């Protein structure tokens, strides 16, 4: 069944809940994801150098690490849960620390807890021109401050 309601399209459902709502198995031959280039905002100075992750724009972020990153600001998470991935590549001099355990909500008002396997926070590779990949899963985007993120290491020290 195909239905429309308030500029929403439903496949297999009579009441679409989002822009495209597919109820049942979805088969695709290709899936493209928008990759956003995350920028390090250093205007806050030491201790508040941040990268904004706007989940309404993308779920994959490539970040050239040209200075330390103290915090990731999560904006617009889907209320019913989701995932996002960050790819961190050190610049040609390296040595830039990244705190992959420091996430906050909009305007950095509240800390979002991050849960890691075994409770061990990974150490980001600081070697020049090396890449680390981390993915995060959340089950309630409307309450990240209390529900948190679940982090996994996709790989480290890629060259």
């Amino acid at each position: 069944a195909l239905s429309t309601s308030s500029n929403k399209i439903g496949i297999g459902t009579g009441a679409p809940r989002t822009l495209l709502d597919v109820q049942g198995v979805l088969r695709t031959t290709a899936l493209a994801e928008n990759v956003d280039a995350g920028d390090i905002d250093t205007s806050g100075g030491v201790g508040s150098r941040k990268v904004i992750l706007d989940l309404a724009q993308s779920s994959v972020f490539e970040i050239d690490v040209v200075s330390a990153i103290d915090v990731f600001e999560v904006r617009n998470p889907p209320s019913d849960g989701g995932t996002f991935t960050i790819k961190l590549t050190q610049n040609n001099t390296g040595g830039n620390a990244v705190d992959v355990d420091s996430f906050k909500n909009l305007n950095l008002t509240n800390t979002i807890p991050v849960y890691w396997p075994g409770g061990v926070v990974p150490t980001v590779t600081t070697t020049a021109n090396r890449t680390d990949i981390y993915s995060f899963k959340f089950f309630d985007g409307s309450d990240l401050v209390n529900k948190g993120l679940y982090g996994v290491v996709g790989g480290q020290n890629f060259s």
Side-chain angles (χ1 to χ4, degrees), residues 33-38 51-55 57-63 72 74 82-89 100 103 116 131-138 149-155 158:
E33 293 182 274
N34 181 46
V35 178
D36 193 10
V51 172
I52 296 170
L53 305 175
D54 188 344
L55 300 182
Q57 300 298 315
S58 185
S59 63
V60 180
F61 301 89
E62 284 188 288
I63 301 159
F72 292 91
V74 180
T83 62
F84 64 91
T85 299
I86 57 175
K87 175 185 174 193
L88 302 167
T89 302
V100 292
F103 286 80
W116 296 97
T131 298
D132 288 1
I133 298 172
Y134 303 92
S135 292
F136 300 86
K137 176 73 178 163
F138 56 95
L149 302 169
Y150 292 83
V152 294
V153 177
F158 289 104

Side-chain angles (χ1 to χ4, degrees), residues 3 6 17 22-23 25-26 30 33 36 39 50 60 66 77 80 91 94 96 103 112 115 125 129 132 135 141 159:
S3 61
S6 302
R17 298 162 290 191
V22 178
Q23 187 73 22
V25 177
L26 174 65
E33 293 182 274
D36 193 10
D39 295 319
K50 69 178 178 182
V60 180
V66 297
D80 56 351
N91 65 4
N96 300 301
F103 286 80
I112 299 169
Y115 305 103
T125 303
N129 301 311
D132 288 1
S135 292
S159 60

Side-chain angles (χ1 to χ4, degrees), residues 71-155:
V71 64
F72 292 91
E73 181 180 330
V74 180
R75 293 184 180 175
N76 302 309
S79 62
D80 56 351
T83 62
F84 64 91
T85 299
I86 57 175
K87 175 185 174 193
L88 302 167
T89 302
Q90 291 283 338
N91 65 4
N92 59 3
T93 57
N96 300 301
V98 178
D99 190 346
V100 292
D101 196 51
S102 181
F103 286 80
K104 293 193 176 187
N105 65 350
L106 182 63
N107 299 320
L108 306 177
T109 53
N110 297 99
T111 299
I112 299 169
V114 182
Y115 305 103
W116 296 97
V120 178
V121 178
T123 301
V124 174
T125 303
T126 58
T127 305
N129 301 311
R130 296 296 173 100
T131 298
D132 288 1
I133 298 172
Y134 303 92
S135 292
F136 300 86
K137 176 73 178 163
F138 56 95
F139 297 92
D140 185 352
S142 65
D143 192 15
L144 288 179
V145 171
N146 290 305
K147 306 293 181 165
L149 302 169
Y150 292 83
V152 294
V153 177

